[in-house]
């Protein structure tokens, strides 16, 4: 009973697991029978292992022990397979040392004899036991300092001056200190001048009453472990109650330092390796002064903005250029401030950046960026909301100190707002084949400036902006200003969904006159009129303006004429037709005696002519299909009149648009 209790005290597991015992093959030592077998397994308690010592082995020898075999497993993994005969010496030297389980693991044996036994074999015998595992021998035991093994476990412990971390493995220096109220002193890394300890976190608190601060001076060698790339491995961090946190490491002595705060925490952190000599830091209380500037975007009037001021000092603060006081009166930029006992200025009124705000923009113009910053020196630029428009001028505007957006040349945005103007002379280029007199069918979007007045009289016009169109005066003569409807965006006169435009103004050229013998009303001089639509025409791929000619360009040699007018066989064309015509000087055309003026030119093609119903429509160049952004389509002429009959050897007469550029410009500006 006494013996049992002693064992119980030494090894709490001894009651349940036998300490030692024998394991042997069936029939040992007489010999085992064919087909005999044995399995055996023992497990160790925590901190222990099971060992097996074979003292005898005599099994039938076979290739890879495939006949009879003894297999030993540790934690279900095969350690060794044995057969044949082995001497005690052999067993002790090369087999037994490996026959043990892991700490807390199991060891098992499986013996198997096959059906035949040509000669008698005595089998095997071994004894097993439980052994304590020395975890301290294990290099992976994770004790950072000292290790103590005991039966069934191990314990880490620390050298004097260190405490064991709650993780039970790490030794830490007990180095934290609260020096509240201490006006001066020295802080050093633990163990200085020896290398500082590993795995430590030292936190030192310095604190004094309000109105005071600390002056920190590093002395002697500074050596805190740092990576080659400058990153800190160990670190010394200075955390004032208010203000910037600073972290130091490496070998450069940190500079003299004022905390600007009545309390500061100094934290020294080290990792698990390295031999470095640490730091020495002396501290001294100093009166807290105020520092300029009072706010980041201000300066002091007639004083140095970045010096120190004793308590009670009064300074005049002025906001930097482009900044104003955050107060009701936004124009204010100056105020007086006094240095308080706590080293802080009072009052402190922030100087805020002037904000130019989002400018009010004309219709169709928008900011290039969605919600750009609009404060002092920020830049904005513009774009058009639609691809069918372009800005009349490029460049960006900058928010100036007075709160105005100004261009690079200094012009105020409000005085010169950018405008979006329709891109002229561009079509949606699609090649189209098909069959004015001798004309070809036009595809949708090919002549997007062509618009149509369907009847009384049937006639054409050309959009020259998103409000204005040009036509022949004789087409609109007699109409009340707002009684005409024009159709656009169509190539089929019977299109059910054309763009309908209503006229707001019809302005016939003041010198327009019908001329002709016997009051024949079909020949005209100054046959040109401007129509203003009552609403902005929504431009798109099929409805866009044509460009006007340049004032100084030579009259072009050829162009395309288009319209919904009379064809060889029909009084009116359902579809928009176009044809290529050559342009001639007036003396090359036969007007059949009818009077001509230099406000006209004549043109015609190979059996191609404009005719009744085409009047007012465009003659433009380059010829359809040859326009490009560098060479936009320009309106050279307006279909006007011709000698009787169309498509014969007589040419058609067109109003020469180039002669009316000033009138067009002035009229559009005035209306
Ligand atoms: C017309 O009566 C008309 N061949 C238009 C053009 C031409 C002739 C007549 C040119 O509207």
């Amino acid at each position: 009973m006494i013996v049992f209790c002693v064992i119980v005290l030494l090894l709490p597991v001894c009651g349940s697991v036998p300490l030692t015992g024998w394991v042997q093959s069936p029939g040992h030592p007489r010999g085992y029978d064919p087909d005999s077998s044995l399995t055996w397994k023992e497990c160790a308690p925590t901190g222990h292992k099971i060992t097996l010592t074979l003292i005898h082995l005599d099994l039938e020898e076979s290739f890879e022990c495939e006949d009879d075999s003894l297999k030993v497993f540790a934690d279900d993994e095969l350690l060794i397979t044995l057969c044949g005969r082995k001497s005690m010496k052999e067993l002790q030297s090369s087999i037994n040392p490996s026959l043990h389980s892991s700490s807390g693991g199991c060891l098992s044996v499986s013996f198997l004899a096959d059906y035949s036994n040509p000669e008698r074999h005595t089998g095997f015998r071994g004894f097993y036991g439980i052994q304590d595992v020395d975890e301290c021998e294990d290099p992976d035991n994770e004790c950072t300092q000292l290790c103590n093994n005991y039966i069934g476990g191990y314990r880490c412990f620390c050298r004097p001056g260190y405490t064991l971390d709650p993780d039970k493995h790490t030794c830490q220096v007990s180095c934290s200190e609260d020096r509240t109220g201490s006006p001066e002193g020295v802080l050093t890394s633990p163990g200085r001048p020896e290398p500082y300890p590993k795995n430590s976190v030292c936190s030192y608190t310095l604190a004094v009453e309000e109105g005071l601060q600390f002056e920190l001076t590093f002395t002697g060698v500074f050596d805190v472990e740092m990576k080659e790339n400058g990153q800190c491995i160990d670190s010394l961090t200075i955390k004032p109650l208010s203000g910037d946190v600073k972290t130091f490491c490496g070998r450069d002595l940190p500079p003299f330092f004022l905390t600007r705060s009545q309390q500061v925490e100094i934290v020294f952190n080290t990792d698990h390796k390295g031999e470095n000599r640490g730091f020495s830091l002396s501290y001294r209380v100093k009166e807290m002064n105020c520092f300029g500037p009072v706010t980041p975007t201000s300066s002091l009037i007639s004083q140095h903005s970045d010096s120190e001021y004793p308590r009670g000092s009064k300074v005049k603060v002025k906001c930097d250029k482009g900044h104003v006081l955050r107060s009701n009166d936004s124009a204010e930029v100056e105020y007086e401030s006094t240095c308080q006992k706590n080293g802080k200025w009072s009052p402190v009124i922030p100087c805020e950046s002037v904000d130019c705000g989002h400018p009010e923009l004309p219709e169709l113009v928008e900011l290039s960026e969605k919600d750009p910053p609009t404060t002092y020196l920020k830049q904005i630029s513009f774009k058009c909301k639609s691809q069918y428009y372009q800005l009349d001028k490029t460049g960006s505007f900058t928010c100036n100190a007075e709160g105005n957006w100004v261009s690079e040349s200094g012009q105020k945005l409000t005085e010169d707002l950018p405008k979006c103007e329709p891109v002229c002379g561009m079509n949606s280029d699609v090649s189209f084949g098909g069959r004015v007199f001798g004309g070809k069918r036009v595809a949708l979007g090919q002549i997007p400036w062509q618009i149509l007045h369907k009847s009384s009289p049937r006639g054409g016009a050309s959009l020259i902006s998103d409000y204005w169109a040009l036509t022949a005066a004789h087409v609109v003569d007699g109409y009340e200003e707002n009684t005409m409807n024009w159709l656009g965006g169509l190539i089929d006169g019977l299109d059910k969904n054309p763009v309908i435009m209503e006229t707001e103004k019809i302005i016939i050229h003041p010198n327009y006159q019908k001329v002709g013998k016997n009051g024949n009303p079909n020949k005209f001089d100054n046959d040109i009129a401007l129509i203003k639509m009552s609403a902005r025409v929504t431009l798109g791929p099929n409805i866009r303006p044509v460009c006007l000619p340049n004032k100084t360009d030579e009259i072009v040699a050829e162009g395309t004429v288009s319209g919904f007018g009379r064809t060889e066989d029909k009084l009116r064309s359902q579809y928009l037709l176009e044809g290529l015509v050559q342009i001639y000087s007036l003396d090359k055309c036969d007007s059949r005696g009818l009077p001509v003026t230099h406000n006209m030119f004549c043109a015609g093609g190979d059996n191609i002519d404009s005719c009744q119903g085409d009047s007012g429509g465009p003659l433009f160049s380059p010829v359809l299909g040859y326009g490009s952004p560098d060479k936009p389509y320009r309106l050279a002429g307006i279909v006007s009149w011709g000698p009787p009959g169309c498509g014969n050897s007589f040419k058609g007469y067109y109003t020469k648009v180039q002669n009316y550029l000033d009138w067009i410009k002035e009229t559009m500006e005035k209306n």
Side-chain angles (χ1 to χ4, degrees):
M1 184 65 191
I2 293 168
V3 171
F4 180 72
C5 288
V6 170
I7 291 170
V8 165
L9 285 173
L10 284 174
L11 187 68
V13 291
C14 67
S16 55
V17 179
L19 280 174
T20 57
W22 290 97
V23 56
Q24 59 186 35
S25 49
H28 182 83
R30 272 178 297 105
Y32 56 87
D33 294 333
D35 285 327
S36 58
S37 65
L38 169 92
T39 55
W40 170 92
K41 183 173 184 174
E42 281 301 340
C43 296
T46 24
H48 295 75
K49 61 183 177 185
I50 300 276
T51 61
L52 176 65
T53 309
L54 293 174
I55 57 164
H56 179 81
L57 184 84
D58 172 20
L59 268 57
E60 185 188 343
E61 180 76 71
S62 59
F63 175 70
E64 290 186 342
C65 303
E66 56 192 6
D67 293 347
D68 299 349
S69 68
L70 172 67
K71 293 183 174 169
V72 185
F73 300 85
D75 311 317
D76 295 329
E77 248 179 61
L78 181 64
L79 285 179
I80 197 161
T81 304
L82 298 165
C83 59
R85 199 185 282 265
K86 298 251 185 304
S87 69
M88 179 70 187
K89 201 172 157 197
E90 250 181 299
L91 288 170
Q92 272 299 72
S93 63
S94 58
I95 295 172
N96 287 335
S98 64
L99 305 184
H100 60 84
S101 71
S102 63
S103 177
C106 301
L107 196 70
S108 55
V109 155
S110 162
F111 166 75
L112 204 62
D114 71 350
Y115 61 93
S116 76
N117 244 353
E119 56 181 272
R120 196 180 69 82
H121 292 280
T122 51
F124 77 91
R125 180 169 166 81
F127 68 87
Y128 66 88
I130 291 183
Q131 260 184 29
D132 174 54
V133 175
D134 186 354
E135 290 87 353
C136 294
E137 292 281 287
D138 180 355
D140 296 332
N141 70 42
E142 292 183 342
C143 291
T144 58
Q145 285 189 356
L146 306 169
C147 179
N148 170 239
N149 180 59
Y150 58 82
I151 294 172
Y154 73 105
R155 195 170 17 231
C156 300
F157 64 104
C158 304
R159 289 195 285 270
Y162 290 82
T163 50
L164 192 64
D165 192 77
D167 73 5
K168 296 201 169 148
H169 288 82
T170 313
C171 293
Q172 281 196 347
V173 179
S174 31
C175 52
S176 295
E177 233 183 295
D178 184 354
R179 297 212 186 164
T180 299
S182 157
E184 60 186 313
V186 177
L187 290 174
T188 57
S189 44
R192 178 112 166 167
E194 294 305 311
Y196 54 77
K198 298 160 188 66
N199 290 311
S200 47
V201 183
C202 309
S203 164
Y204 308 96
T205 305
L206 303 181
V208 276
E209 71 217 55
E210 200 189 357
L212 298 174
Q213 61 175 329
F214 289 98
E215 189 183 85
L216 306 180
T217 314
F218 287 88
T219 53
V221 173
F222 184 84
D223 176 19
V224 175
E225 197 183 5
M226 184 175 80
K227 277 192 200 167
E228 267 176 28
N229 64 8
Q231 258 185 330
C232 292
I233 297 172
D234 300 337
S235 62
L236 182 70
T237 305
I238 299 178
K239 302 179 181 173
L241 202 56
S242 57
D244 292 347
V245 172
K246 290 198 162 87
T247 297
F248 303 103
C249 61
R251 292 188 167 204
D252 295 337
L253 200 64
F256 162 87
F257 194 81
L258 275 171
T259 60
R260 298 194 185 184
S261 170
Q262 69 188 97
Q263 188 177 330
V264 62
E265 190 192 2
I266 297 161
V267 182
F268 184 52
N269 246 308
T270 72
D271 77 339
H272 61 285
K273 56 181 188 331
E275 292 285 311
N276 300 73
R277 284 180 292 168
F279 68 92
S280 172
L281 169 61
S282 65
Y283 60 90
R284 195 154 64 101
V285 150
K286 229 188 142 226
E287 228 176 53
M288 191 105 81
N289 288 335
C290 291
F291 292 85
V294 175
T295 60
T297 47
S298 68
S299 48
L300 302 182
I301 300 175
S302 62
Q303 310 223 31
H304 282 295
S305 280
D306 50 359
S307 29
E308 228 178 303
Y309 296 86
R311 67 177 69 163
S313 314
K314 287 192 187 314
V315 290
K316 275 223 156 68
V317 183
K318 186 177 191 304
C319 290
D320 292 344
K321 190 174 178 199
H323 294 78
V324 286
L325 290 179
R326 188 194 290 173
S327 59
N328 293 340
D329 184 358
S330 61
E332 285 284 330
V333 292
E334 274 181 46
Y335 65 99
E336 192 178 74
S337 193
T338 308
C339 178
Q340 307 295 301
K341 187 177 163 206
N342 63 1
K344 295 201 163 67
W345 295 104
S346 180
V348 176
I349 309 173
C351 290
E352 286 184 338
S353 178
V354 163
D355 194 339
C356 289
H358 285 190
E360 264 193 41
L361 294 173
E363 226 184 320
L364 305 171
V365 183
E366 65 184 358
L367 291 164
S368 303
E369 221 182 298
K370 189 137 194 309
D371 252 319
T374 55
T375 48
Y376 179 55
L377 294 182
K378 294 286 182 310
Q379 289 196 326
I380 51 170
S381 57
F382 306 104
K383 64 180 176 59
C384 295
K385 286 179 187 164
S386 152
Q387 66 176 111
Y388 301 104
Y389 288 83
Q390 65 192 6
L391 281 175
D392 62 341
K393 47 187 158 292
T394 53
S396 60
F397 288 78
T398 308
C399 179
N400 73 4
E402 286 71 48
N404 297 314
W405 291 110
V406 288
S407 69
E408 270 149 49
S409 60
Q411 175 127 35
K412 274 193 197 167
L413 174 65
T414 45
E415 288 162 8
D416 190 21
L417 279 169
K419 278 197 284 295
C420 280
E421 290 171 344
V423 177
C424 68
M426 292 283 106
N427 63 0
S428 312
D429 210 73
V430 277
S431 326
F432 187 76
R435 265 247 18 109
V436 210
F437 243 87
K440 284 190 207 151
R441 290 261 304 268
V442 171
L444 198 60
Q446 258 189 323
I447 309 181
W449 43 89
Q450 168 87 53
I451 60 173
L452 168 67
H453 184 247
K454 272 182 103 167
S455 60
S456 324
R458 192 177 181 81
S462 306
L463 275 178
I464 55 167
S465 79
D466 50 2
Y467 266 104
W468 292 89
L470 261 184
T471 187
H474 80 266
V475 170
V476 294
D477 192 9
Y479 270 89
E480 293 293 325
E481 300 232 302
N482 54 1
T483 54
M484 266 188 122
N485 268 350
W486 288 84
L487 307 181
L490 79 172
I491 49 163
D492 177 352
L494 301 180
D495 192 324
K496 296 265 184 318
N497 289 305
V499 176
I500 302 171
M501 291 157 279
E502 224 172 62
T503 54
E504 181 187 297
K505 285 182 179 168
I506 296 168
I507 303 167
I508 289 176
H509 194 274
N511 301 333
Y512 162 64
Q513 56 183 320
K514 300 170 189 170
V515 289
K517 282 182 189 153
N518 313 322
N520 185 335
N522 289 337
K523 338 290 164 219
F524 315 99
D525 192 17
N526 300 307
D527 190 12
I528 186 166
L530 273 163
I531 339 175
K532 186 179 186 191
M533 305 305 174
S534 60
R536 184 192 296 284
V537 177
T538 307
L539 303 183
N542 305 325
I543 186 155
R544 311 179 65 170
V546 69
C547 300
L548 290 174
N550 289 318
K551 209 166 190 174
T552 52
D553 282 355
E554 289 279 299
I555 186 87
V556 291
E558 57 179 13
T560 292
V561 61
S562 61
F564 289 87
R566 185 173 196 148
T567 65
E568 294 90 328
D569 46 9
K570 287 205 173 87
L571 204 58
R572 54 191 61 168
S573 170
Q574 179 183 343
Y575 300 105
L576 178 60
L577 301 178
E578 59 87 6
L580 190 155
V581 288
Q582 273 76 41
I583 294 169
Y584 301 99
S585 59
L586 288 171
D587 57 331
K588 292 272 173 348
C589 302
D590 180 356
S591 71
R592 305 288 287 162
L594 294 164
V596 291
T597 71
H598 285 283
N599 294 321
M600 308 165 190
F601 62 80
C602 51
D606 191 9
N607 213 23
I608 289 174
D609 195 3
S610 52
C611 201
Q612 259 172 1
D614 293 325
S615 279
L619 188 159
F620 56 89
S621 82
V623 164
L624 190 60
Y626 290 88
S628 67
D630 299 339
K631 208 165 178 230
Y633 294 103
R634 294 184 185 279
L635 186 67
I638 300 171
V639 179
S640 180
W641 64 277
C646 304
N648 50 28
S649 53
F650 305 115
K651 306 298 174 205
Y653 284 81
Y654 295 81
T655 311
K656 189 174 176 186
V657 176
Q658 202 175 30
N659 286 8
Y660 298 94
L661 297 175
D662 292 340
W663 174 75
I664 294 170
K665 192 163 174 267
E666 278 163 27
T667 311
M668 283 170 60
E669 275 166 8
K670 273 195 236 146
N671 292 278

